[in-house]
Amino acid sequence: MPELPEVEVIRRGAHRYLVGQRIAEVEVLHPRSIRWHLGGEADFRSRLVGEEVVGSGRRGKYLWFDLTGHDKLVIHLGMSGQLAVRDRDRTQRDHLRVRLGFTESDQQLHFIDQRTFGGMLVSPTVVGAATPLAVDRVALDPLDPLFSPERTAARIRISRREIKRVLLDQKVVSGIGNIYADEALWRTRLHWARRADSLPTRRVIALLEQAAVVLEESIAAGGTSFDSLYVNFDGVPGYFGRELNAYGRLGQPCYRCGSSIRRERFDGRSSFRCPRCQPSRTVKAESG
DNA sequence: CGAGTATCCTGTCCGC
DNA sequence: TGCGGACAGGATACTC
């Protein structure tokens, strides 16, 4: 579910609450939610208890909280993960999977995850490195200060795969999921099935630049919420859904040309595009 | 390396 | 009202 903007909105909210808190207790209510923590539940707990949260970070769809030592608490929200601060004596358990209590607070951090595709782990960090080891194989995302559209475009253009598949490959560029892939493709008038190696460099760079723009605009709007599975840290939905041009707009007019937006099956999921603006082959010589 | 497929889960919605 | 199937923001692990 959550892509980069939703993860970033949640990180910012959680950062405000968590920094300065010292972890006093950790309860894992569903073992699957820490399956990526190879040391198991006891190790997960012991690495967290006593640690103070001193900062936070994010790469792509992974977020983490910096701890006093060399470890970081890494979280991936999967399709349905949420973070929230709730009273420790709350009785309603809905899909509560993990909760953290703090030394000087009656509130707890709750990791809620209906489908349990997400998870948490404690990951060591190499001294001097900005990111925990657990995410070191994740590519830079388009909003990272070190991200280079030129370098990533060069990497993309050696692939024979469809452009959307490459855009969704977190080892090539991270943070982009199904929604924002469709949005970036719409903005650059590209068909999702275009082979990456058939695209001129400038079009791939434009695609990455538009991806960065749409991600930033979505963050500013609080992310995209289709249902209650995505809300920000304070339980408030994002309203970027109103600004989507392609995703979810089956049968509705393209805002650029009026054609009816299509939905197509690709890689087991839905892709939305404008049949006129995003044809399978370039119709005529493009201007510019 | 990459294409294709299956899998992990729970819930909602739609058609019959 | 019930039931089966499709579908949902993601990632990984297989086979070939």
Side-chain angles (χ1 to χ4, degrees):
Chain A
M1 171 214 55
E3 305 181 32
L4 186 154
E6 294 76 33
V7 174
E8 176 62 14
V9 169
I10 286 171
R11 183 195 67 80
R12 291 178 185 178
H15 179 100
R16 280 195 292 275
Y17 172 77
L18 286 178
V19 169
Q21 302 272 14
R22 187 173 295 278
I23 299 169
E25 52 180 343
V26 176
E27 187 181 3
V28 178
L29 295 103
H30 197 311
R32 192 173 142 76
S33 295
I34 60 158
R35 66 194 179 284
W36 295 320
H37 187 91
L38 300 180
E41 182 177 339
D43 184 68
F44 179 77
R45 268 206 311 272
S46 69
R47 284 176 183 273
L48 289 175
V49 170
E51 293 286 314
E52 184 183 327
V53 179
V54 295
S56 69
R58 181 191 53 71
R59 176 179 285 184
K61 302 168 194 170
Y62 289 83
L63 73 127
W64 59 82
F65 297 105
D66 306 319
L67 306 173
T68 351
H70 292 306
D71 284 345
K72 297 188 195 299
L73 172 60
V74 178
I75 302 173
H76 194 289
L77 300 171
M79 293 281 269
S80 56
Q82 300 177 0
L83 293 180
V85 164
R86 293 167 163 183
D87 292 335
R88 61 178 7 254
D89 50 6
R90 176 191 174 94
T91 51
Q92 188 191 344
R93 286 294 149 90
D94 38 24
H95 296 98
L96 178 59
R97 307 306 187 192
V98 179
R99 50 182 188 167
L100 307 187
F102 306 97
T103 52
E104 290 174 44
S105 175
D106 289 331
Q107 294 188 305
Q108 297 181 322
L109 176 73
H110 284 194
F111 177 65
I112 303 142
D113 190 8
Q114 176 195 98
R115 295 175 70 183
T116 67
F117 284 9
M120 306 175 110
L121 72 156
V122 182
S123 171
T125 305
V126 173
V127 175
T131 58
L133 276 173
V135 303
D136 72 351
R137 282 154 74 181
V138 177
L140 296 178
D141 62 63
L143 301 189
D144 194 299
L146 297 176
F147 181 79
S148 157
E150 291 78 14
R151 272 202 302 274
T152 302
R155 168 101 189 264
I156 288 174
R157 290 190 67 253
I158 61 176
S159 173
R160 304 167 59 115
R161 304 146 85 193
E162 299 100 326
I163 186 61
K164 181 169 177 181
R165 202 184 294 274
V166 184
L167 213 49
L168 292 173
D169 186 340
Q170 305 297 304
K171 291 188 282 303
V172 175
V173 51
S174 71
I176 301 170
N178 207 30
I179 294 177
Y180 300 104
D182 279 5
E183 292 302 304
L185 290 165
W186 182 88
R187 289 180 184 223
T188 38
R189 306 181 187 227
L190 284 171
H191 190 298
W192 51 263
R194 277 290 296 268
R195 269 176 50 166
D197 62 358
S198 78
L199 295 169
T201 297
R202 63 180 167 79
R203 295 202 73 184
V204 180
I205 290 173
L207 177 64
L208 293 169
E209 288 171 348
Q210 285 305 306
V213 169
V214 72
L215 294 172
E216 280 193 358
E217 289 179 1
S218 180
I219 291 170
T224 302
S225 300
F226 291 124
D227 54 41
S228 61
L229 285 184
Y230 169 72
V231 289
N232 73 12
F233 194 68
D234 303 310
V236 179
Y239 50 88
F240 193 70
R242 297 195 300 227
E243 298 177 46
L244 296 176
N245 291 297
Y247 189 87
R249 298 195 63 243
L250 174 65
Q252 297 173 53
C254 171
Y255 292 129
R256 215 164 26 209
C257 75
S259 298
S260 189
I261 298 289
R262 262 185 214 171
R263 178 173 68 187
E264 289 150 334
R265 211 67 200 156
F266 167 64
D267 211 18
R269 56 213 323 207
S270 292
S271 282
F272 297 86
R273 71 176 172 99
C274 169
R276 190 183 302 177
C277 298
Q278 301 166 266
S280 52
R281 266 178 268 163
T282 309
V283 180
K284 282 278 180 189
E286 301 157 50
S287 57

